[in-house]
Amino acid sequence: MCLEGTPNELKLKYISDNKYANLKGDELKEAIKKEIRKKEDNLKGNMLSQGTTPRRLTDLIGSLCDLTSGSGDKGTPVVFIQGYFDNLSDD
């Protein structure tokens, strides 16, 4: 997998709060999965992606590592990130 570029992600909180505000539980989950499956290839400028910060993938993964790495005197910990590239709509 190439780590160049930026993610093409939907803002799930925006979608659930605005487009599907009347849904709850499994109904909401299925509606969001359908929304993910039909998303455009380039969401830049689309309201459905508003709120997501357009950062490079390498910066996002680096931020995840930094959040969990700690700063104690025990040495440098190993950070294992799993599932970052998984898709919620995949079953």
Side-chain angles (χ1 to χ4, degrees), residues 15 18 22 24-25 31 34-35 40 46 48 55 61 68 74 77 85 88:
I15 294 170
N18 295 282
N22 61 323
K24 302 280 185 223
K34 286 180 186 175
E35 198 73 38
E40 299 171 17
N46 188 318
L48 295 177
R55 295 182 289 170
I61 293 170
T68 59
K74 299 286 185 192
F85 294 104
L88 177 65

Side-chain angles (χ1 to χ4, degrees), residues 10 19-20 33-41:
L10 295 170
K19 193 167 184 179
Y20 299 116
K33 282 183 176 183
K34 286 180 186 175
E35 198 73 38
I36 293 169
R37 287 183 193 115
K38 70 176 190 175
K39 76 178 178 179
E40 299 171 17
D41 290 334

Side-chain angles (χ1 to χ4, degrees), residues 55 59-71 77 79 81:
R55 295 182 289 170
D59 296 334
L60 292 169
I61 293 170
S63 294
L64 288 171
C65 291
D66 188 49
L67 286 172
T68 59
S69 66
S71 60
V79 177
I81 297 172

Side-chain angles (χ1 to χ4, degrees), residues 7-49:
N8 190 51
E9 298 175 336
L10 295 170
K11 183 68 173 181
L12 298 184
K13 182 168 179 7
Y14 175 84
I15 294 170
S16 64
D17 289 352
N18 295 282
K19 193 167 184 179
Y20 299 116
N22 61 323
L23 301 179
K24 302 280 185 223
D26 287 340
E27 256 188 321
L28 175 60
K29 185 177 179 181
E30 289 306 313
I32 289 175
K33 282 183 176 183
K34 286 180 186 175
E35 198 73 38
I36 293 169
R37 287 183 193 115
K38 70 176 190 175
K39 76 178 178 179
E40 299 171 17
D41 290 334
N42 183 0
L43 292 172
K44 185 176 180 180
N46 188 318
M47 191 59 161
L48 295 177
S49 68

